[in-house]
Amino acid sequence: MMQSVTVNEHTNIPGWIRDFYADLDDLKLGNGFDIFIPEVQMIFGTARIQGIAAIKDFFRTIDSPLNTKHIVERFWDGGSTKLIQGKAILAPKTDPDNATTIPFFHVFSLASGHMEKVAYLFIVAGPVDPEKSIPDINQEGL
């Protein structure tokens, strides 16, 4: 039997989501990452990264040379699944006036039995190819 799932669009973005993106933008990679279970898995394009430390290393590697600003444009709440549509404004720190805007779609899947913690983060961003622009940092191809 098929189960019905209700997904509602909201204008109130939860604080934990705002904290996560703020930590990405300033590269503090601190409390905003408290949302993850220790064995969290992140899929970013074709890269699969497991564990909070590896995910922080991944973002530190790709974002360190950049000034970043993530903007959440739409948020849907499907209970254990949170959907985010937005854009990231990226500019090289060496050329801050040369900004590029990249659309993104993120799916946060909450851990079964731990509805306050994220077990999976799926990131679709484009155009970007992490395999060509990011050195190997504990990632496996899908």
Side-chain angles (χ1 to χ4, degrees), residues 65-84:
L66 303 170
N67 293 320
T68 64
K69 176 65 180 164
H70 289 81
I71 299 169
V72 174
E73 296 175 325
R74 299 179 83 183
F75 166 68
W76 296 271
D77 189 339
S80 63
T81 303
K82 314 299 181 195
L83 308 171
I84 310 291

Side-chain angles (χ1 to χ4, degrees), residues 35-37 39-42 109-112 117-121:
I35 62 172
F36 296 115
I37 62 172
E39 62 275 12
V40 60
Q41 290 189 46
M42 180 179 78
S109 179
L110 303 183
S112 179
K117 295 286 188 176
V118 175
Y120 296 93
L121 172 58

Side-chain angles (χ1 to χ4, degrees), residues 80-101:
S80 63
T81 303
K82 314 299 181 195
L83 308 171
I84 310 291
Q85 178 187 353
K87 61 186 174 186
I89 302 169
L90 311 172
K93 289 182 178 174
T94 57
D95 188 8
D97 293 330
N98 189 16
T100 300
T101 301

Side-chain angles (χ1 to χ4, degrees), residues 11-31:
T11 55
N12 270 351
I13 310 302
W16 64 268
I17 291 174
R18 289 192 307 271
D19 292 345
F20 172 73
Y21 290 117
D23 263 11
L24 283 181
D25 292 339
D26 65 18
L27 279 181
K28 287 185 180 175
L29 307 177
N31 293 340

